[in-house]
Amino acid sequence: MTVADELNPAETSAATAAGPEAEPEEPIKKRKNGLYPGVSDELADSMKSGWADTELHDLQPVEQAEHTARRRAALSARFPGERLVIPAGNLKTRSNDTEYPFRASVEYAYLTGNLTEDGVLVLEPTTDGHKATIYLLPRSDRENGEFWLSGQGELWVGRRHSLTEAERLYGIPASDVRELPAALREATGPVRVVRGHDAGIEAALTDKVTAERDEELRVFLSEARLVKDEFEVGELQKAVDSTVRGFEDVVRVLDKAEATSERYIEGTFFLRARVEGNDVGYGSICAAGPHATTLHWVRNDGPVRSGDLLLLDAGVETHTLYTADITRTLPINGRFTEIQKQVYDAVYEAQEAGIAAVQPGGKYRDFHDAAQRVLAERVVEWGLVEGPVERVLELGLQRRWTLHGTGHMLGLDVHDCAAARTETYVEGTLEPGMVLTVEPGLYFQADDLTVPEEYRGIGVRIEDDILVTEDGNRNLSDGLPRTSAEVESWMASLKG
């Protein structure tokens, strides 16, 4: 990795965000231990000229532009007469002068389709609604040297779209984000901002917003995502299809994982996610053997052994940030043992009951209750807890071995719509266009003395992504087998 010797990226970013008039007195700041002592006037002059015009004139609107326009219109109707500010967020430092890969806030991405750092969507109230403006960093300035001296300049991190290009892509008038803080400080009237993404924007609004008003905005934008439009469903299907291929990749290399560790599985799936999408939608759970009983095992540093199970919970995130979330529990050597199959088949039966309960007009909780009933029946049947089943469910005794809920909404976040009100989410009613996971599981800890030894260390979860339709549901992830027999046959075919 090379080093931007001339200018400290953090100092450049701060100066840029404050506006052109706030540039530092010394425009070129040496990095400590940099190899170049400075920039000659001749080099500075040379870097200002001799560059071709690279403006892009044939850009077409992004695919979701018509959908984002409709979403902004719904937002405008909900908060008439109020200024609404939705930031994308800023780069976050990983260590010293390196940053984490940037991911735009879901609210900003949902309303614009733009995914670049430092962007801000502002809806200014008008007499008949709102005027939307997207505030972005323009192209790197070649006159003042920012494009080659700044650690975030074009020659270091790549070309940004010009404001004119951005307007064509997103269908929203674009302005220079460096001018926005001053404009917001002068703003009058009620303002709401989505908090937690851009401290500079929040500081400019500190005396104009309230926590209560801002929370109402966040909740509205979360609930707006409960029902997906056709573009979103299509993106989720893309994410699922790539994830299916990622699971196939993993099965093909299980012998290599046995020779190394769970990290080989993680890396294999990550390769598919990066080749076909933006990233993984969340930290992949590649849990072999007793690690499968840890619900969010993401260390992925354990051994992979023949005879054990592999619980793989992973999802590809598309370039538009929609993610799949699928789990399969696989016998590493391709064949379930008798006790593994018993536990697996019970979880499959519970998932079948849960999926059947996903119906338009039904309660959101129905699929959870249906799956939990099956799991309670099985642990009573196996003598792990004293019945009757109604008593077990009332007291939640089955939860010793199945701690988590049976699913969640899915979309731009793996746990999408999390800020929605309880009455519209957990206590709400299913509608066509909702997408949720159904993922029952049974987990018998290695040190659980309340179960026979043969159960200990077995963890099983089966998870699929389910679209609520007009007449029932559709399993978006039915490209992966689910029954124990189908899993064994599928693995055998992939291993040749």
Side-chain angles (χ1 to χ4, degrees):
M1 180 178 182
T2 55
V3 178
D5 284 322
E6 317 302 343
L7 200 61
N8 184 317
E11 292 170 337
T12 304
S13 177
T16 300
E21 73 282 0
E23 287 196 17
E25 293 181 8
E26 298 180 13
I28 298 173
K29 293 182 180 294
K30 290 171 55 179
R31 181 189 298 275
K32 185 177 181 180
N33 295 319
L35 295 175
Y36 291 104
V39 176
S40 67
D41 291 341
E42 290 78 5
L43 176 58
D45 287 339
S46 171
M47 293 299 287
K48 291 178 182 179
S49 61
W51 304 101
D53 179 10
T54 59
E55 182 76 9
L56 304 176
H57 300 284
D58 57 350
L59 294 175
Q60 298 299 314
V62 295
E63 186 180 355
Q64 66 266 46
E66 63 180 282
H67 300 287
T68 56
R70 186 175 61 252
R71 297 165 193 167
R72 292 193 300 274
L75 177 61
S76 172
R78 172 61 180 83
F79 298 104
E82 301 185 54
R83 180 175 283 102
L84 308 174
V85 182
I86 301 94
N90 315 122
L91 289 171
K92 290 182 171 59
T93 299
R94 181 179 184 271
S95 178
N96 189 24
D97 58 352
T98 61
E99 291 84 21
Y100 288 104
F102 178 74
R103 189 184 191 277
S105 74
V106 295
E107 296 89 354
Y108 178 85
Y110 180 73
L111 293 168
T112 67
N114 175 259
L115 305 178
T116 56
E117 66 268 19
D118 301 325
V120 184
L121 173 68
V122 178
L123 272 62
E124 297 279 352
T126 63
T127 56
D128 58 352
H130 287 82
K131 175 188 175 183
T133 303
I134 188 170
Y135 288 85
L136 302 166
L137 282 173
R139 290 284 305 277
S140 293
D141 191 329
R142 303 208 173 197
E143 184 63 28
N144 69 6
E146 183 252 341
F147 84 108
W148 70 287
L149 293 175
S150 166
Q152 293 301 319
E154 187 170 299
L155 295 193
W156 289 97
V157 299
R159 182 187 187 279
R160 295 192 290 263
H161 281 298
S162 71
L163 298 181
T164 301
E165 291 170 353
E167 290 184 358
R168 292 196 187 102
L169 286 169
Y170 307 111
I172 312 171
S175 292
D176 190 335
V177 72
R178 294 171 296 187
E179 301 168 0
L180 181 59
L184 291 177
R185 281 190 287 268
E186 299 299 320
T188 59
V191 184
R192 297 177 190 259
V193 63
V194 176
R195 299 190 183 201
H197 302 300
D198 193 318
I201 294 298
E202 290 180 37
L205 294 169
T206 186
D207 60 339
K208 306 177 192 303
V209 296
T210 68
E212 293 76 14
R213 287 205 306 267
D214 294 347
E215 180 64 11
E216 286 178 357
L217 174 60
R218 188 172 79 105
V219 168
F220 174 82
L221 290 172
S222 193
E223 293 183 355
R225 302 198 307 275
L226 284 168
V227 176
K228 271 60 180 178
D229 58 37
E230 61 268 29
F231 172 81
E232 294 180 287
V233 172
E235 289 300 294
L236 286 168
Q237 187 66 69
K238 287 180 189 176
V240 165
D241 293 344
S242 290
T243 300
V244 168
R245 290 187 283 274
F247 276 61
E248 293 171 346
D249 295 340
V250 166
V251 172
R252 291 189 179 100
V253 301
L254 281 177
D255 57 335
K256 294 182 175 62
E258 287 187 60
T260 52
S261 75
E262 296 162 340
R263 291 282 171 90
Y264 203 96
I265 295 167
E266 180 182 0
T268 298
F269 186 84
F270 180 70
L271 176 61
R272 177 67 65 172
R274 287 293 282 165
V275 167
E276 295 194 1
N278 176 60
D279 206 330
V280 290
Y282 53 95
S284 299
I285 299 169
C286 308
H291 288 163
T293 67
T294 300
L295 302 183
H296 286 169
W297 176 261
V298 293
R299 300 179 199 172
N300 299 335
D301 59 358
V304 179
R305 300 188 178 99
S306 178
D308 284 347
L309 296 176
L310 167 68
L311 190 157
L312 177 59
D313 184 337
V316 172
E317 177 184 82
T318 67
H319 294 292
T320 57
L321 306 189
Y322 288 86
T323 184
D325 182 8
I326 301 174
T327 306
R328 288 296 184 268
T329 305
L330 312 172
I332 292 168
N333 64 11
R335 303 287 295 181
F336 290 100
T337 66
E338 182 177 346
I339 187 63
Q340 289 170 351
K341 183 177 183 297
Q342 175 186 314
V343 176
Y344 185 96
D345 289 348
V347 173
Y348 170 76
E349 184 183 354
Q351 195 200 27
E352 280 283 274
I355 292 174
V358 176
Q359 299 288 334
K363 293 295 184 183
Y364 174 85
R365 298 186 62 94
D366 289 349
F367 76 94
H368 170 72
D369 293 340
Q372 288 294 299
R373 175 169 290 278
V374 172
L375 297 180
E377 289 171 350
R378 293 298 158 264
V379 296
V380 170
E381 175 187 318
W382 299 339
L384 305 184
V385 66
E386 183 181 348
V389 170
E390 295 299 337
R391 168 183 171 271
V392 172
L393 290 170
E394 180 182 357
L395 300 177
L397 301 181
Q398 83 283 0
R399 292 186 61 196
R400 181 181 178 97
W401 306 289
T402 175
L403 285 171
H404 56 78
T406 309
H408 51 81
M409 292 295 179
L410 185 68
L412 284 168
D413 278 327
V414 65
H415 297 142
D416 207 24
C417 314
R421 293 167 295 172
T422 300
E423 57 265 33
T424 60
Y425 191 156
V426 174
E427 302 300 338
T429 300
L430 294 179
E431 300 178 39
M434 290 182 170
V435 179
L436 56 131
T437 67
V438 179
E439 50 174 312
L442 282 173
Y443 314 91
F444 300 102
Q445 303 300 319
D447 59 351
D448 188 349
L449 302 181
T450 70
V451 300
E453 187 174 357
E454 62 181 348
Y455 287 90
R456 297 174 197 164
I458 292 178
V460 173
R461 180 164 66 252
I462 311 172
E463 178 180 19
D464 285 271
D465 302 341
I466 309 298
L467 168 68
V468 183
T469 62
E470 295 288 347
D471 57 357
N473 68 65
R474 174 159 61 93
N475 186 348
L476 301 179
S477 47
D478 62 0
L480 284 175
R482 290 193 296 125
T483 71
S484 55
E486 289 170 345
V487 166
E488 290 180 340
S489 175
W490 171 71
M491 294 183 69
S493 69
L494 290 173
K495 290 184 176 183

